[in-house]
Amino acid sequence: MDEETIVRSEAESWSVARCADEEDPAVETAEEAKEPAEADINELCKDMFSKMATYLTGELTATSEDYKLLENMNKLTSLKYLEMKDIAINISRNLKDLNQKYAALQPYLEQINLIEEQVAALEQAAYKLDAYSKKLEAKYKKLEKR
């Protein structure tokens, strides 16, 4: 603080004390503000700047570490995405192969379906023939009894 500030501060302190005495006896009087010694101010400033530097260094270190962590996470994520891309490419290739094999098997599958339909028709014909033969047998036995 410069001398003018000190003088102004002392004048304000004395005027507050005088006003308090004149107006209200219950109001406490202000005491004269005393300036700390010059050596104390310098020491306190040095201490404050040292602690502020330590604080800011810690903040910057923490921020730097956060960015390093984010960088590592981004690298790992990038590697995972590359792995997933390779997996997707392999799945796509295998799916194309399966579709080609299915297309190659399609005529055979159609033949199997056709044979299945023919077997079902043949089975129905066999049931009808069986039923007809039973009728004939019943008629023959009936005629034989006469």
Side-chain angles (χ1 to χ4, degrees):
M1 292 169 91
D2 60 347
E3 288 182 34
E4 182 181 331
T5 309
I6 294 171
V7 169
R8 197 176 319 139
S9 176
E10 288 177 3
E12 288 173 359
S13 296
W14 286 109
S15 67
V16 168
R18 259 184 294 186
C19 291
D21 287 339
E22 294 170 1
E23 293 177 10
D24 189 2
V27 176
E28 294 180 24
T29 59
E31 294 181 21
E32 180 181 353
K34 294 183 180 177
E35 185 71 21
E38 189 70 27
D40 288 344
I41 290 175
N42 287 338
E43 190 63 35
L44 291 172
C45 285
K46 286 179 184 177
D47 187 43
M48 179 195 69
F49 282 119
S50 171
K51 289 180 179 178
M52 185 62 97
T54 303
Y55 168 76
L56 291 175
T57 301
E59 284 293 316
L60 292 174
T61 301
T63 302
S64 174
E65 292 298 319
D66 287 345
Y67 280 119
K68 286 178 185 177
L69 176 63
L70 282 173
E71 182 181 9
N72 288 338
M73 289 171 62
N74 284 338
K75 286 178 183 177
L76 287 174
T77 302
S78 176
L79 290 174
K80 282 292 183 183
Y81 281 138
L82 286 175
E83 288 175 12
M84 290 170 56
K85 176 186 163 197
D86 292 340
I87 291 170
I89 289 171
N90 286 337
I91 289 172
S92 175
R93 188 178 321 121
N94 289 339
L95 186 59
K96 285 179 184 176
D97 290 345
L98 283 174
N99 284 336
Q100 289 174 350
K101 289 176 183 178
Y102 181 76
L105 287 175
Q106 190 62 35
Y108 299 113
L109 294 173
E110 289 174 2
Q111 286 180 358
I112 289 171
N113 287 339
L114 183 63
I115 291 171
E116 186 179 4
E117 290 172 5
Q118 290 174 348
V119 166
L122 186 61
E123 186 179 15
Q124 289 300 320
Y127 285 137
K128 287 180 183 177
L129 183 62
D130 186 46
Y132 181 73
S133 67
K134 286 182 182 178
K135 270 186 184 179
L136 271 177
E137 183 181 1
K139 277 187 183 180
Y140 176 75
K141 286 185 181 179
K142 194 177 185 185
L143 285 175
E144 207 176 62
K145 284 184 183 180
R146 283 189 187 171

